[in-house]
C-alpha cells in the first residue's frame, strides 16, 4: 500500500446498500439521472486495507512510496492506486431517498457476513 503521504481516498459501499440503491433507482417513481452510490466514509486506501486486515486478523500491508509502488505492481493497478475518489452521495440520499443500512465502512465491516468471519 502507499505510505500515508502518498495515499489516495477511495469510495466505499456495502453490497446490501448498493443493491438497495440500484433497486430504488430502477423504481417507476425514481427521478432519472446519475447517482454517486457511496457510503459516508472518508477513508484513504491504505487505511481501508489496514481496517480489513485488522478485522480479518491479518497483518497490515506494508506501506511504500509512490515511486516504489510503480515498480511493484502492474501499470493498471498503479494507475488505480493513484486516483483519489471522494464521492458526494447527497443526491442519492436527497433525491432517491436512499437510507444507508451501513452508513460507514466501519459499520459495514462489523456486519455479520463481512469478510466471512465471525
Amino acid at each position: 500500500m502507499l505510505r500515508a503521504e502518498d495515499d489516495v481516498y477511495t469510495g466505499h459501499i456495502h453490497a446490501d446498500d448498493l443493491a438497495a440503491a440500484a433497486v430504488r433507482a430502477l423504481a417507476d417513481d425514481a427521478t432519472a439521472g446519475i447517482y454517486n452510490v457511496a457510503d459516508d466514509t472518508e477513508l484513504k486506501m491504505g487505511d481501508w486495507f489496514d481496517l480489513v486486515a485488522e478485522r480479518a486478523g491479518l497483518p497490515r500491508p506494508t506501506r511504500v512510496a509512490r515511486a516504489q509502488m510503480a515498480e511493484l505492481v502492474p501499470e493498471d493497478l498503479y494507475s488505480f492506486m493513484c486516483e483519489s475518489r471522494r464521492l458526494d452521495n447527497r443526491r442519492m440520499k436527497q433525491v432517491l431517498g436512499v437510507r444507508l443500512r451501513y452508513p460507514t465502512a466501519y459499520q459495514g465491516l462489523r456486519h455479520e457476513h463481512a469478510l466471512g468471519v465471525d
Side-chain angles (χ1 to χ4, degrees), residues 7-96:
D7 209 355
V8 297
Y9 285 92
T10 56
H12 304 271
I13 187 76
H14 191 281
D16 292 349
D17 286 332
L18 177 59
V23 167
R24 177 65 191 116
L26 293 170
D28 289 340
D29 65 338
T31 302
I34 297 171
Y35 296 90
N36 287 327
V37 178
D39 67 21
D40 299 327
T41 308
E42 284 197 23
L43 192 64
K44 290 192 172 183
M45 186 182 297
D47 295 335
W48 165 249
F49 278 94
D50 286 347
L51 182 64
V52 170
E54 181 180 302
R55 176 74 168 87
L58 299 169
R60 290 181 171 194
T62 303
R63 301 287 186 116
V64 299
R66 187 179 298 269
Q68 186 179 2
M69 184 63 74
E71 298 170 6
L72 295 173
V73 299
E75 186 177 331
D76 56 343
L77 178 56
Y78 176 73
S79 174
F80 175 77
M81 294 180 80
C82 292
E83 296 174 13
S84 199
R85 295 162 224 65
R86 285 184 176 169
L87 298 176
D88 182 347
N89 66 8
R90 285 179 293 187
R91 189 166 189 271
M92 173 194 76
K93 292 194 262 182
Q94 294 169 357
V95 176
L96 276 183

